[in-house]
Amino acid sequence: HVQLVESGGGSVQTGGSLRLSCAASGYHHSTNCMAWFRQAPGKEREGVAAIYTGGDYTYYADSVEGRFTISQDNAKNTMYLQVNSLKPEDTAMYYCAADQSPGPCLVATPRPELFSYRGQGTQVTVS
């Protein structure tokens, strides 16, 4: 049974930082595609960042480029999203997603429906 569990969200002031974590269990993500999505009330889910460990690939949405950093720790089976210089418009529920194939990382913009596994989310609120 594959499970993704996010943590690390919280309430911060504008300009603050957080480190979001996505712990995977039930499979090892040494070679796969993982991503972070976010969804604010009344808005569509947005692909924020993605990483493929089978090659040198990362993706960032234009809105977070230079402020967010995606990474993986294979020893801990955990993916991270370091979020810096937070803005009120970054307020959203942040979700992680994973797939053991490279397919979801081969499209121009990550789409949640392409991933086999998704977590329940962690809330980030910026005021």
Side-chain angles (χ1 to χ4, degrees):
H1 175 66
V2 176
Q3 189 173 21
L4 301 177
V5 179
E6 302 94 335
S7 62
S11 295
V12 297
Q13 294 187 335
T14 298
S17 298
L18 290 169
R19 189 175 78 155
L20 309 184
S21 299
C22 173
S25 61
Y27 82 103
H28 193 272
H29 62 69
S30 59
T31 303
N32 67 0
C33 175
M34 298 189 75
W36 286 95
F37 294 87
R38 66 184 181 186
Q39 187 166 22
K43 295 188 177 181
E44 291 188 356
R45 193 167 293 197
E46 172 191 20
V48 173
I51 186 167
Y52 176 56
T53 54
D56 186 15
Y57 168 85
T58 55
Y59 161 89
Y60 294 98
D62 289 343
S63 57
V64 307
E65 181 82 53
R67 301 188 296 122
F68 290 11
T69 303
I70 190 171
S71 62
Q72 283 181 297
D73 185 334
N74 289 334
K76 296 182 178 179
N77 230 23
T78 300
M79 176 179 65
Y80 302 98
L81 187 69
Q82 178 68 39
V83 296
N84 299 327
S85 302
L86 283 164
K87 306 174 181 179
E89 51 264 43
D90 294 318
T91 295
M93 184 72 78
Y94 284 70
Y95 303 86
C96 67
D99 199 278
Q100 289 175 285
S101 76
C105 281
L106 299 179
V107 298
T109 305
R111 303 204 310 266
E113 67 271 19
L114 297 180
F115 290 81
S116 298
Y117 313 112
R118 293 179 287 278
Q120 295 300 307
T122 185
Q123 178 68 37
V124 172
T125 301
V126 186
S127 59

